Amino acid sequence: MSLRVPLSAVRSFEAAARRRSFKAAAAELNLTASAVSHAIRKMEEALGVALFERAGQGVALTAAGEALLEHVGRAFEELHRGLDLVAARGPQLLRLHCAPSFAAQWLTPRLARFLADHPGFEVRLAAGMDYARFTTDEFDADIVYGPPRGEGLVVVPLCTETVTPLCDPVRAARIRAPEDLLTHVLIQSDNKLVRWPLWFAQNDLPAPRPLGVRFDRSFLAIAAAADGLGVALESTLLAEREIASGRLVAPLRGLARDVTYVGHHLVFPAGNRPRAPLRTFARWLAGELGIDPEMAELS
């Protein structure tokens, strides 16, 4: 027996079942909630069973709906795999959102090598403090700074970062102990999770009154410190190029207690298997950061 159920209606059902909301499904599919509701009602009429029932502000699957979702989910997964396989034979587009300083200081300098190692790849990179919402399918993933926000996300912690005072070599020659920082200009980073008061507390010293220069991005603070403006409290991961070139040094490494933390995370929507370009990028990212290669499988 052949049932006349359009694929578009099945897609509406799958999205609504996964998100437990017609409204959320409509936003994901770029439809109206009434269009999703109408498609599912027609599908229920064709099947002769109810697939959803109201549950508070959202919807819940009936037993028939749960049974159908199990098969539909596997079918869409297989469909995505087939599409990825075909897409792998042509140009592949990675749509990535990223925290500004990670994009400027760490990722962008490596993109040339990534693209050279992956012919046919295209990368569309956007940087901003606002997290990607993934509701319009504009991005495949986001590299966020700080605790990830939002529901329905897979969160992959990236490497542990070390935060330490950094400055130019001339200034560094005058810094021999943590107390010496009290006589230098301390560059403030307003949006950092690890700031000067925490570092001074870690080293059993009272934090001085915040004076001098303030920035809202780490890449600005790093550039200012390299230009001799003062001492920045920044991640050695983000400042690795300046450290490698000798423009920045860490005068108190081994002489003070630094702060370590996981500052960045790779996040992407849960529910569907990640697209092939994201899986390829994740494997490369894990290799570059020297972290557990199993994260690259995004399982």
Side-chain angles (χ1 to χ4, degrees):
M1 181 179 68
S2 176
L3 294 174
R4 294 185 177 182
V5 178
L7 181 60
S8 59
V10 179
R11 186 70 183 92
S12 293
F13 163 77
E14 188 274 341
R18 175 165 38 83
R19 291 181 169 271
R20 299 299 196 265
S21 167
F22 288 178
K23 184 178 180 180
E28 177 182 318
L29 301 174
N30 199 25
L31 299 171
T32 64
S34 61
V36 170
S37 177
H38 178 75
I40 291 174
R41 186 169 64 253
K42 288 292 186 181
M43 186 174 174
E44 289 175 326
E45 291 174 356
L47 296 174
V49 294
L51 300 173
F52 292 93
E53 57 188 13
R54 293 290 176 182
Q57 297 297 318
V59 292
L61 287 166
T62 63
E66 291 282 4
L68 180 60
L69 178 61
E70 182 179 349
H71 294 279
V72 168
R74 287 202 303 266
F76 272 109
E77 173 120 3
E78 191 62 31
L79 177 60
H80 285 302
R81 288 178 181 172
L83 293 173
D84 281 349
L85 179 63
V86 172
R89 298 170 183 167
Q92 297 210 36
L93 174 63
L94 173 68
R95 306 165 303 167
L96 185 65
H97 190 273
C98 189
S101 292
F102 191 91
Q105 292 293 123
W106 192 91
L107 181 57
T108 301
R110 287 172 167 76
L111 281 182
R113 185 163 70 245
F114 172 73
L115 293 173
D117 292 341
H118 299 87
F121 245 80
E122 298 178 17
V123 176
R124 188 179 76 197
L125 177 62
M129 293 299 292
D130 293 335
Y131 295 164
R133 300 184 183 279
F134 301 114
T135 55
T136 60
D137 195 34
E138 185 179 1
F139 297 104
D140 298 307
D142 194 358
I143 296 176
V144 305
Y145 177 68
R149 304 170 188 168
E151 299 179 353
L153 297 176
V154 175
V155 178
V156 181
L158 300 185
C159 68
T160 299
E161 301 178 40
T162 298
V163 179
T164 190
L166 299 171
C167 62
D168 65 280
V170 174
R171 186 181 297 272
R174 306 195 303 270
I175 301 174
R176 301 296 184 185
E179 295 85 350
D180 294 340
L181 292 178
L182 300 176
T183 62
H184 290 266
V185 174
L186 302 182
I187 298 172
Q188 310 292 324
S189 292
D190 290 338
N191 289 323
K192 293 289 292 184
L193 296 178
V194 179
R195 304 184 191 181
W196 282 115
L198 176 60
W199 187 89
F200 277 104
Q202 186 106 328
N203 286 276
D204 302 320
L205 289 171
R209 181 184 174 191
L211 297 172
V213 186
R214 307 180 72 96
F215 295 103
D216 66 348
R217 299 288 186 273
S218 284
F219 69 86
L220 295 175
I222 290 170
D227 287 336
L229 196 59
V231 184
L233 182 66
E234 291 294 341
S235 163
T236 56
L237 177 72
L238 298 184
E240 64 180 10
R241 285 190 303 163
E242 289 79 6
I243 294 172
S245 68
R247 295 186 66 212
L248 283 179
V249 296
L252 295 176
R253 288 299 295 270
L255 302 174
R257 290 188 288 273
D258 294 322
V259 179
T260 58
Y261 76 130
V262 177
H264 293 85
H265 300 78
L266 176 70
V267 302
F268 56 93
N272 291 331
R273 189 168 186 263
R275 295 174 61 245
L278 176 55
R279 298 197 301 273
T280 299
F281 175 75
R283 285 191 292 270
W284 172 83
L285 186 66
E288 289 289 317
L289 290 171
I291 57 181
D292 187 351
E294 290 187 4
M295 68 78 67
E297 300 304 320
L298 304 182
S299 55

